[in-house]
Amino acid sequence: MPEVRCPVLVGRDAEVSVLEGAVARAASGEGGEGGEGGVVFVLGEAGVGKSRLTSAAAAAARDAGMTVLRGRAAPSPAPVPYRPLAEAILSALRTSGPPATPELAPFGPALGVLVPAWAGAGGEAPAEPSVILLGEAMLALLRSVAGTSGALVLLEDLHWADAGTLELLDYLADKLDGTAVVVVVTSRAGEGAAAERLARQLRGRGDGEVVELGRLPAHGVATMVAATLQAAEVPAEVVGAIEKASDGLPFLVEEVLASLLTTGSLVSEGGTWAVRGRLEPAVPPSFAALVEDRMAQLSSPSAGRVLQTAAVLGERFDWPLLQATCDCPAEEVLSALRQAAALQLVEEDKVARGFRFRHALTRTAVMETLLLPEKVAIAERALAVLDADVISRPERLELAAELADAAGNRNRAAELLVASAVAALRTGAVTAAIEAAERVVARGGDQAHVIRGHELLLDASVLAGDVRRVVEIGEQLLARLEAGGAPAERRAGAHLRLARAAVTATDWRRAAEHLARVEALVPGAADEMQARVHLLRAHVALGEHRVAEAAERAKSARDIAARLGDDDLLCESLELLGRADRVCDLAVAERHFTEAMLTAEAAGLELRRVRALHELGTIDMVRLGPPDRLRAARDGAAAIGAPGLAAQAGMHLAVAHFVRSELDEARAVIVRAIEEAERYRLGLLVPAATTVLGAIDAVEGNRAEAIAAFERVLPLMDAEIEATGRGHVLALAALATEDRAAARAEFAAAERLCPPRSGVARAPHRGVYALLLALDPDASTTILDDLTREKASVHVATLALADLARAVLAGRAGDTEEADRAFSSAIDALADSPWYQNMGRRLVAEAAIADGWGTPAVWLREALEFFTAAGLDEPARACRSLLRRAGAPVPRRPGEGDVAGQLARLGITAREADVLSLVAEGLSNKEIGGRLYLSARTVEKHVERLMLKTGCANRAQLAALASRAGAVGT
């Protein structure tokens, strides 16, 4: 197998920083004295990267001109006393012997104890040297070796060290301060109790540091694989296979990658990496040898057989099932498990109340110690035990299928996999359902099983929102059904599944076509199929804004579901009824969604529960409430493997944050939702989510970025999304830069595109448009009547902005009491939406000054504070101008009069000077944003403009400029 090594250290920046800091402190003294030496323990399991980390420390030490000494302990029933220390000393002094310095002269005999090769060189060694004598000898020797440049002592694998080495290290730990010597120790976590105990004792008393290395997360594995292959992109399935097999251990990442390259499963073609065949990583020989060595340390052959039986039962296993399969006393099984845990082969899984192998490859390596007949015999015994309760415990179905496969019973395995996929779909475990169905399809054999596998795979892919797979799977299924002469009902079922996929992709035309095929194939369909046709027709009707038809279809489906006692159908019917009623009455819609959620909870339908929770979250969004239920729905969808629903809930979560002016949170959420929508080809969700990103840029004053986001997905939009984009992206971007004419034009275009009774017809941008219209004495304000018609379902922010429009009209008519009432009510309603609230203040103040009502100066000062903090220069400038028109004092700009002459000559604004000052203090964009009440994105824009105006290439140069110009601390 070829040697594969990652050229960079991945995911260990914080740990490297600790070690490099310790090296730097030790090297900080002059003439070898005055440094801050010390001890650092690096703890972690085998293969986690301890040696790679110490190599980084050694490189840093050599760069600093320090001497590097290296020694290690070795496994032995009787460890050689002080072996790692002796190796370390000899690594630097093997040829020269002990330094002939006066300071070392008294310690000759003691040095002979530490390094037997030096015995007799300085007199007779004491019979029982004390730790103090040996410690002082070692300290004097290290000082001598360190000289004027310092020394790094690497002591590795001290989980195998003798007690004397650890005792001596304990003595040295609090004597190294003031020296130019740093000792770095590595030890395997869980394998050297004495070494770990010493590490924690030293940290507890302040005499040492401890670095604990964990496994790499998924993104770390992906980065490591890409760096090793020197590739910008690696197939996701390759990264997934390596992550699963390696469990995030860097050593195994390299070893598994090497096995894929050796077997030809992964090949380079034309500069890109491609998968050939199945990705089944082999157990690396070095790892197999490690597992075999540890198994040899088990106390008896029966303990080994227990471990082999556990391996057949799976990576995770239940110990009562293990005992029943082994058919031996519980004490014998538990003894074997205790030994295996001590040898780092298995570990207790406290969450699942069972056991698991430490790594997936550990289980595979143990399996490879069995002959095929032995595997079959164990699988047959375990399957016989499971058969008694597998029907009553669906979570055992997948394991039973694996055992049937291992026992060679392919038909039984297929039946169990089908049952497992059905059970997973019922509970909402979409990912598990896909995996089970894929295994049914991939294994071939009996055509009835293969067709059923395709049907289940299609159902699961639709629920996952993975539209890119649905068409391919659907075509395969239809071809098999036609070829096999399947009855009309079976073929209609395939079209029904494809109609649902089209609904998921918001392709209403294609959905209607498939539903027409269903009705043509089975004119007198059974109740269940009729109900499902009604539901999908309701989805299409809602998508095309035929709300009354959608409600009628949903009610018909609900009645059938209630008659059949089908909870899944009932939940979906209630969800559709809620969505139809949400157009006109949020309270009624909330009752339907709540009933759906409670029904799903009672029936154990997790996917339906999450969907209902998502719909309840959209009501919170319309009411300008907290986004907790949307966040829970997104996370719940992701947890059950439904990325389509997760992306949709994520988009609504981002909208909720956006309207509440929580822009950093909104940006992080929507970027993730866009990635998911693009990955799974979720139709209109891609442009819809992208308009949310554009809206965030719009209200932050990033007009060019907002326009670019809109134009990038304009070809993908339908009329509703385009209306949303023109209203929330283009119009708000114009308004945030005081381009009133462009804002009016885009709002008018959105109004022409806006479908009646759609979500966009009740969205906040229409309230802003109503307010702008009210400011124009000659413009029509009929939009206010439209917003009032179905007030119960209109967004709170929309209604509040419409109330501001009414305040303007009342003030112009001389009804100042009504104007003040409407204004106060609206501003209170917008308390959780500060961008809309302060844009409302700024716009209404303009009319109030002209018509002589209210307290516009107060409103303008509040708006000015907000726009200044947000870095929105044009609205802030407009507020100042209006204050002057009102005859009110204008607050001084932050930093006004304090911008240094050099900065002023460069065209740097007061707000940019504020940012520059904090950059010079070394703060991050997020920290600066927190200090100045700006989003991190806005700070980033300020920094970009500062670099452009000053010609600086980086933040360090900006900091230097600030210092020269006297801007620090202004």
Side-chain angles (χ1 to χ4, degrees):
M1 194 159 63
E3 181 179 0
V4 171
R5 188 167 178 82
C6 183
V8 295
L9 190 58
V10 174
R12 305 301 191 200
D13 292 349
E15 293 85 353
V16 168
S17 179
V18 171
L19 292 183
E20 289 182 344
V23 169
R25 289 192 298 274
S28 62
E30 295 182 1
E33 299 296 331
E36 297 180 32
V39 177
V40 181
F41 268 83
V42 179
L43 303 179
E45 61 186 304
V48 81
K50 299 184 296 296
S51 296
R52 187 76 67 92
L53 192 62
T54 57
S55 294
R62 292 189 185 96
D63 288 344
M66 300 172 74
T67 300
V68 177
L69 301 85
R70 188 187 295 267
R72 69 173 62 245
S76 172
V80 176
Y82 310 113
R83 171 177 170 163
L85 292 170
E87 277 193 11
I89 294 169
L90 289 173
S91 69
L93 303 173
R94 187 179 304 278
T95 57
S96 62
T101 62
E103 293 81 6
L104 281 175
F107 298 112
L111 290 175
V113 173
L114 294 173
V115 186
W118 295 352
E124 185 176 347
E128 293 185 9
S130 70
V131 68
I132 296 176
L133 177 61
L134 293 176
E136 290 300 320
M138 187 70 187
L139 190 61
L141 179 63
L142 291 176
R143 284 179 182 273
S144 176
V145 171
T148 60
S149 301
L152 166 66
V153 183
L154 294 177
L155 302 177
E156 300 187 79
D157 296 334
L158 259 62
H159 49 282
W160 288 319
D162 62 292
T165 295
L166 297 178
E167 189 178 17
L168 188 51
L169 186 59
D170 187 10
Y171 180 84
L172 288 173
D174 63 349
K175 306 294 189 297
L176 293 175
D177 192 19
T179 73
V181 178
V182 60
V183 179
V184 174
V185 177
T186 72
S187 179
R188 287 185 188 170
E191 295 191 40
E196 281 193 69
R197 187 163 53 249
L198 174 60
R200 303 192 193 287
Q201 287 173 349
L202 293 182
R203 179 171 61 184
R205 70 184 196 223
D207 288 335
E209 295 181 87
V210 177
V211 173
E212 299 191 58
L213 286 183
R215 302 179 186 183
L216 292 177
H219 65 83
V221 172
T223 300
M224 189 174 176
V225 171
T228 306
L229 294 175
Q230 298 182 4
E233 187 174 354
V234 179
E237 60 266 39
V238 173
V239 175
I242 293 174
E243 181 193 351
K244 181 178 180 180
S246 69
D247 279 334
L249 287 178
F251 166 72
L252 286 182
V253 170
E254 293 172 335
E255 293 287 286
V256 171
L257 182 54
S259 76
L260 294 179
L261 294 171
T262 300
T263 60
S265 300
L266 180 63
V267 296
S268 178
E269 295 180 345
T272 62
W273 290 94
V275 176
R276 291 290 174 266
R278 299 187 66 182
L279 290 170
E280 295 182 347
V283 179
S286 56
F287 189 75
L290 174 67
V291 171
E292 287 185 18
D293 177 64
R294 293 187 177 188
M295 288 185 68
Q297 298 177 51
L298 293 170
S299 63
S300 65
S302 63
R305 284 193 294 274
V306 168
L307 193 62
Q308 289 170 326
T309 302
V312 174
L313 294 180
E315 185 181 344
R316 298 175 185 273
F317 55 91
D318 179 39
W319 82 266
L321 174 61
L322 175 61
Q323 181 199 345
T325 304
C326 291
D327 194 23
C328 58
E331 295 78 7
E332 188 174 322
V333 173
L334 292 175
S335 173
L337 290 176
R338 190 174 291 109
Q339 293 177 58
L343 291 167
Q344 302 280 292
L345 293 168
V346 302
E347 61 188 5
E348 193 172 358
D349 187 342
K350 297 185 184 298
V351 176
R353 301 173 69 97
F355 289 85
R356 67 184 295 271
F357 282 90
R358 289 275 292 181
H359 313 295
L361 286 180
T362 304
R363 180 221 176 181
T364 305
V366 173
M367 286 273 283
E368 289 183 355
T369 64
L370 288 166
L371 297 173
L372 179 59
E374 293 174 313
K375 293 178 189 175
V376 170
I378 293 172
E380 287 176 340
R381 290 201 304 273
L383 188 58
V385 174
L386 274 182
D387 264 341
D389 69 345
V390 73
I391 302 303
S392 61
R393 298 180 63 180
E395 69 273 13
R396 296 276 182 109
L397 285 167
E398 187 175 352
L399 171 59
E402 289 183 5
L403 292 171
D405 239 347
N409 191 339
R410 292 177 60 82
N411 281 335
R412 177 64 173 150
E415 291 169 1
L416 289 164
L417 283 171
V418 165
S420 177
V422 170
L425 281 174
R426 179 171 176 79
T427 58
V430 181
T431 301
I434 288 174
E435 291 175 352
E438 282 179 337
R439 289 171 60 191
V440 175
V441 171
R443 63 191 297 113
D446 185 88
Q447 282 301 298
H449 288 141
V450 174
I451 289 173
R452 185 61 178 136
H454 271 93
E455 290 175 336
L456 291 168
L457 185 55
L458 189 57
D459 287 340
S461 297
V462 169
L463 289 175
D466 192 352
V467 179
R468 63 181 177 177
R469 298 189 65 192
V470 166
V471 173
E472 176 187 354
I473 297 167
E475 289 175 351
Q476 293 174 2
L477 175 58
L478 285 171
R480 286 182 180 274
L481 291 172
E482 294 286 352
E489 290 80 3
R490 196 77 179 265
R491 284 177 283 143
H495 284 290
L496 201 63
R497 290 176 169 88
L498 289 170
R500 184 172 293 280
V503 164
T504 301
T506 60
D507 188 342
W508 314 123
R509 181 189 60 79
R510 188 177 295 276
E513 289 174 356
H514 282 296
L515 289 171
R517 294 290 302 277
V518 172
E519 290 167 336
L521 282 166
V522 282
D527 281 352
E528 182 182 353
M529 183 169 286
Q530 283 187 26
R532 297 197 182 280
V533 170
H534 280 309
L535 286 174
L536 290 171
R537 290 286 189 194
H539 278 289
V540 173
L542 270 180
E544 295 177 344
H545 311 297
R546 301 193 307 276
V547 179
E549 179 187 340
E552 286 304 313
R553 292 278 190 179
K555 287 175 184 175
S556 297
R558 180 194 59 185
D559 294 343
I560 295 173
R563 188 166 66 249
L564 295 175
D566 189 322
D567 290 325
D568 184 71
L569 272 175
L570 181 59
C571 287
E572 187 173 359
S573 304
L574 290 167
E575 178 190 326
L576 265 293
L577 272 173
R579 289 177 58 197
D581 283 322
R582 187 171 55 197
V583 174
C584 54
D585 195 326
L586 291 181
V588 173
E590 187 168 23
R591 286 199 294 272
H592 288 313
F593 294 144
T594 300
E595 184 181 353
M597 186 174 72
L598 294 175
T599 301
E601 286 178 348
L605 302 174
E606 180 62 13
L607 180 62
R608 291 293 176 203
R609 186 194 71 81
V610 173
R611 292 184 69 93
L613 182 62
H614 170 225
E615 298 296 351
L616 287 167
T618 63
I619 290 180
D620 296 335
M621 177 182 69
V622 172
R623 289 173 173 166
L624 203 54
D628 299 345
R629 290 199 286 198
L630 280 172
R631 185 180 299 107
R634 182 203 58 182
D635 295 345
I640 62 176
L645 178 57
Q648 189 176 35
M651 183 185 72
H652 287 135
L653 176 60
V655 171
H657 282 306
F658 164 76
V659 179
R660 294 167 64 88
S661 298
E662 298 161 351
L663 301 182
D664 286 341
E665 294 90 337
R667 186 179 294 278
V669 171
I670 202 61
V671 166
R672 172 177 165 184
I674 291 171
E675 290 173 352
E676 290 171 339
E678 289 176 339
R679 182 181 308 123
Y680 295 101
R681 299 181 185 176
L682 299 179
L684 293 177
L685 194 62
V686 174
T690 305
T691 59
V692 179
L693 181 61
I696 296 167
D697 276 319
V699 300
E700 286 186 332
N702 304 320
R703 190 173 181 181
E705 289 90 335
I707 293 172
F710 175 83
E711 291 181 344
R712 186 166 63 249
V713 291
L714 179 58
L716 306 176
M717 296 179 180
D718 64 4
E720 184 172 12
I721 295 173
E722 184 178 349
T724 300
R726 292 194 179 278
H728 284 114
V729 181
L730 302 186
L732 293 189
L735 198 60
T737 52
E738 288 294 313
D739 188 348
R740 186 83 61 84
R744 282 278 301 272
E746 293 299 347
F747 279 136
E751 195 71 8
R752 290 191 296 271
L753 289 163
C754 177
R757 308 194 78 186
S758 66
V760 69
R762 304 183 299 278
H765 79 81
R766 293 194 82 220
V768 181
Y769 186 34
L771 178 53
L772 281 188
L773 289 174
L775 292 173
D776 184 349
D778 299 325
S780 169
T781 56
T782 55
I783 187 174
L784 292 174
D785 298 329
D786 293 339
L787 293 174
T788 304
R789 190 173 298 117
E790 289 170 344
K791 188 173 180 178
S793 64
V794 177
H795 198 290
V796 165
T798 314
L799 290 173
L801 290 161
D803 279 342
L804 291 178
R806 290 190 182 87
V808 170
L809 296 176
R812 186 178 300 141
D815 190 349
T816 58
E817 183 177 342
E818 172 59 20
D820 286 335
R821 186 206 63 75
F823 178 85
S824 297
S825 173
I827 291 299
D828 288 345
L830 290 170
D832 291 325
S833 187
W835 192 92
Y836 285 107
Q837 183 189 57
N838 286 287
M839 186 57 73
R841 284 184 173 124
R842 174 259 176 275
L843 293 172
V844 175
E846 184 177 317
I849 292 170
D851 297 326
W853 64 276
T855 55
V858 174
W859 310 338
L860 288 167
R861 279 193 289 271
E862 290 171 325
L864 175 60
E865 182 180 354
F866 173 82
F867 290 131
T868 301
L872 294 170
D873 296 335
E874 287 84 355
R877 190 176 300 114
C879 289
R880 292 177 182 280
S881 177
L882 288 168
L883 280 168
R884 294 188 188 97
R885 188 190 306 177
V890 180
R892 185 170 68 88
R893 292 181 178 87
E896 190 174 59
D898 298 329
V899 177
Q902 180 185 356
L903 301 183
R905 286 192 294 275
L906 291 170
I908 291 173
T909 66
R911 176 54 70 182
E912 288 167 352
D914 294 337
V915 172
L916 179 62
S917 174
L918 296 176
V919 167
E921 290 183 24
L923 272 63
S924 67
N925 287 351
K926 185 175 182 180
E927 291 167 333
I928 294 172
R931 190 82 66 87
L932 298 179
Y933 304 100
L934 303 175
S935 72
R937 174 75 169 177
T938 298
V939 175
E940 180 184 347
K941 291 297 177 184
H942 280 308
V943 172
E944 288 175 0
R945 286 195 287 267
L946 282 167
M947 290 181 179
L948 184 64
K949 290 179 179 181
T950 62
C952 293
N954 52 48
R955 297 172 81 95
Q957 292 181 9
L958 282 176
L961 173 67
S963 179
R964 291 196 303 272
V968 180
T970 62

